[in-house]
Amino acid sequence: MNTLFDKIWDRHVVQAIENGPVQLYIDRMYCHEVTSPQAFDALRKRGIKCFRPDHLVCMPDHNVPTINQELPIEDPVSKGMVETLKRNCQEFGLLHWGMMHPNNGILHVVGPEKGLSLPGMTIVCGDSHTSTHGAVGALAFGIGTSEVEQVMASQCILQQKPRSMRINIEGTLGKGVTAKDVALYIMATLSTSGATGYVVEYAGSTVRNLSMEGRLTLCNLSIEMGARGGMVAPDDVTFEYIKDKEFAPKGEKWDKAVEEWSQLKSDDDAVFDKEVFIDATCIGPRITYGTNPGMGIDITQNVPTLDEISENEKASFTNALNYMEFQPGQSLLGHKVDYVFLGACTNGRIEDFRAFASIVKGKQKHADVVAWLVPGSWNVYRQIEREGLKTILEEAGFELRQPGCSACLGMNDDKVPSGKYSVSTSNRNFVGRQGPGSKTILASPLVAAACAVTGQITDPRTFL
């Protein structure tokens, strides 16, 4: 009667305190430049080293520029953080893939693509979107800096066991509908707090038919519903994706691993604390209109009216519309777009660039649109080149930038100016998230591409 979550959790419990937290063993921790310095300092003050340094992988991603990475970083704060991570990794003997290293990129893109994130693992990082790695059938969640220190020192962490939720998604996705649209639909349905305190397992025919990239996008956005993590049971899609990756098991070890991973699924009679059922055929291409990821609509729908909003949400709804300069009941189709961002740990994978290129091929970027196309890793960058996508993008007037978190958040040079509208494939549309005063509309790579060539919010199905 165990869920997939129960099976992985129980295997990693070192000891439990009655009516208290458990000591949970962690198989893999990722570290970037933003949430690790204080943890390293704490170890240094206590005179201790990392307990299992070979289980930690480090790389800068948040503060890196996405052009001229071969040159010194100009911003002194970003430069200091990136250089501090490098020094800490050298001192503590940790694997570090710095800027311009062929394996560098966004942690949540690099981990799965290198075979560092594997089924059955417990995975943590000082970053909320660690939930991404759950797509391979792992238990993955973000932690705070003090918890980063715990894992460095002991390879364990104290945790209260979350509750379990299963979101069943059934049906065939319509034309132009992607995993990003599914996630935005679920967030609008459940709200940004609807999964608070849960680890979510995504199940159903729709999920089984998603590519690995689609599953990674879906799990990435789990945190935006308040979930502790998201996960998908490993299957043939998972195994095919992981096979032959650099850090994946090889030979007889691979066969044994697949045999074990195949057992990682919820039992038929497993009981979840909560179950949700979603009809995938009801989902169209989505956009957001407000200042949290749950404030979204089908691209052909109008912004809700005040009559459609509950009393306790009217104040925040009105504030969000005032910030975005939208009106209740307004159609957003045709609304002017200033910036388009393709990338982030949500949609910076090869499948996302294929989708974007499929729309812009043979067309031209709108003259009034500034477009930032940022691969999630150097591996993705090289694949874009190999598949001829870079040529397609350049012929359409787009420039391919270097890997990094980029315009997902305002911690590097890629900031959207105040008052400008950005259609973004990233994960958050909070006030000022992409730069002070910026106005973010979350969307899929297909929607972003359609907007980039028209200069306005456009239904991608008109190009398909």
Side-chain angles (χ1 to χ4, degrees):
M1 294 178 61
N2 287 328
T3 67
L4 168 62
F5 163 61
D6 290 328
K7 292 179 180 180
I8 299 176
W9 178 276
D10 291 346
R11 291 179 187 181
H12 289 81
V13 172
V14 178
Q15 58 182 339
I17 299 171
E18 188 174 354
N19 299 319
V22 304
Q23 183 184 14
L24 194 70
Y25 181 78
I26 300 301
D27 295 303
R28 177 81 65 209
M29 183 165 77
Y30 297 105
C31 292
H32 57 66
E33 73 276 26
V34 179
T35 57
S36 64
Q38 300 91 333
F40 282 115
D41 285 344
L43 293 190
R44 198 175 287 115
K45 288 175 183 176
R46 293 165 61 189
I48 58 177
K49 299 293 185 181
C50 293
F51 181 58
R52 290 192 167 164
D54 56 325
H55 289 237
L56 278 61
V57 177
C58 308
M59 68 193 75
D61 53 13
H62 282 57
N63 288 88
V64 303
T66 58
I67 55 172
N68 300 325
Q69 286 188 5
E70 61 278 6
L71 302 177
I73 298 175
E74 292 185 3
D75 177 66
V77 174
S78 293
K79 182 180 180 180
M81 296 183 79
V82 170
E83 290 183 348
T84 297
L85 177 65
K86 181 179 179 180
R87 287 196 304 270
N88 283 330
C89 289
Q90 289 172 340
E91 178 181 345
F92 286 87
L94 305 182
L95 180 63
H96 173 260
W97 292 332
M99 286 195 313
M100 299 302 296
H101 189 286
N103 290 346
N104 178 255
I106 304 172
L107 280 168
H108 308 315
V109 174
V110 173
E113 77 179 9
K114 301 301 290 183
L116 287 162
S117 300
L118 298 172
M121 277 186 166
T122 48
I123 300 171
V124 297
C125 175
D127 186 283
S128 58
H129 293 104
T130 308
S131 57
T132 308
H133 305 263
V136 302
L139 173 58
F141 52 92
I143 57 176
T145 298
S146 62
E147 294 171 312
V148 171
E149 179 193 348
Q150 284 181 27
V151 179
M152 286 180 174
S154 69
Q155 208 56 40
C156 293
I157 190 173
L158 292 175
Q159 287 284 293
Q160 293 281 357
K161 185 176 182 179
R163 293 171 291 173
S164 62
M165 176 191 293
R166 180 162 58 188
I167 298 180
N168 303 278
I169 314 168
E170 298 286 355
T172 302
L173 295 176
K175 183 172 67 171
V177 181
T178 70
K180 179 66 165 290
D181 301 299
V182 174
L184 290 173
Y185 180 88
I186 294 172
M187 284 186 278
T189 302
L190 297 185
S191 84
T192 51
S193 61
T196 300
Y198 292 91
V199 167
V200 174
E201 179 182 342
Y202 297 97
S205 60
T206 309
V207 177
R208 290 193 297 273
N209 289 326
L210 287 177
S211 65
M212 201 64 222
E213 287 88 349
R215 297 177 185 187
L216 288 160
T217 295
L218 191 60
C219 288
N220 174 273
L221 288 157
S222 302
I223 189 67
E224 308 307 336
M225 300 183 292
R228 198 73 184 90
M231 57 201 319
V232 177
D235 57 14
D236 289 343
V237 172
T238 319
F239 307 148
E240 185 61 31
Y241 176 85
I242 296 172
K243 190 177 183 182
D244 298 327
K245 296 209 180 300
E246 184 176 349
F247 291 89
K250 303 292 191 300
E252 292 182 4
K253 290 183 178 179
W254 169 258
D255 295 334
K256 183 179 179 182
V258 170
E259 184 179 348
E260 293 177 356
W261 294 341
S262 298
Q263 306 306 310
L264 288 173
K265 54 188 175 182
S266 293
D267 296 333
D268 292 340
D269 55 356
V271 177
F272 291 80
D273 295 303
K274 185 175 182 178
E275 292 221 43
V276 175
F277 297 88
I278 301 289
D279 180 358
T281 63
C282 296
I283 305 172
R286 307 277 298 181
I287 53 173
T288 58
Y289 60 83
T291 53
N292 73 56
M295 301 179 77
I297 52 175
D298 186 300
I299 199 167
T300 60
Q301 293 175 330
N302 294 351
V303 174
T305 64
L306 282 170
D307 292 339
E308 300 172 82
I309 303 299
S310 65
E311 277 303 321
N312 63 342
E313 293 179 326
K314 281 185 178 178
S316 59
F317 173 78
T318 301
N319 288 338
L321 291 196
N322 288 340
Y323 180 82
M324 294 296 293
E325 297 187 72
F326 293 148
Q327 299 298 317
Q330 177 183 352
S331 170
L332 298 186
L333 284 172
H335 192 282
K336 186 178 186 299
V337 169
D338 304 298
Y339 282 71
V340 166
F341 170 51
L342 172 66
C345 58
T346 313
N347 285 121
R349 299 175 182 82
I350 186 62
E351 182 177 278
D352 304 310
F353 281 82
R354 290 172 185 154
F356 192 97
S358 73
I359 294 283
V360 306
K361 184 177 182 179
K363 304 177 183 66
Q364 282 295 305
K365 180 185 74 67
H366 194 279
D368 295 337
V369 170
V370 176
W372 290 327
L373 276 53
V374 187
S377 69
W378 279 108
N379 185 66
V380 173
Y381 187 103
R382 292 189 294 269
Q383 201 165 352
I384 290 169
E385 289 185 313
R386 285 197 303 271
E387 295 185 12
L389 300 179
K390 185 179 180 183
T391 301
I392 291 172
L393 295 171
E394 289 177 344
E395 288 177 349
F398 296 92
E399 175 193 2
L400 191 64
R401 297 172 81 91
Q402 295 169 318
C405 291
S406 185
C408 176
L409 76 174
M411 293 186 70
N412 51 69
D413 297 334
D414 300 348
K415 296 181 179 68
V416 176
S418 180
K420 298 297 184 180
Y421 286 93
S422 166
V423 172
S424 175
T425 66
S426 54
N427 38 53
R428 287 178 175 163
N429 54 341
F430 302 159
V431 171
R433 168 79 174 179
Q434 293 191 289
S438 60
K439 305 177 190 299
T440 301
I441 298 165
L442 299 179
S444 74
L446 292 176
V447 172
C451 296
V453 297
T454 62
Q456 58 189 22
I457 295 177
T458 302
D459 189 333
R461 291 172 293 195
T462 60
F463 293 107
L464 296 176

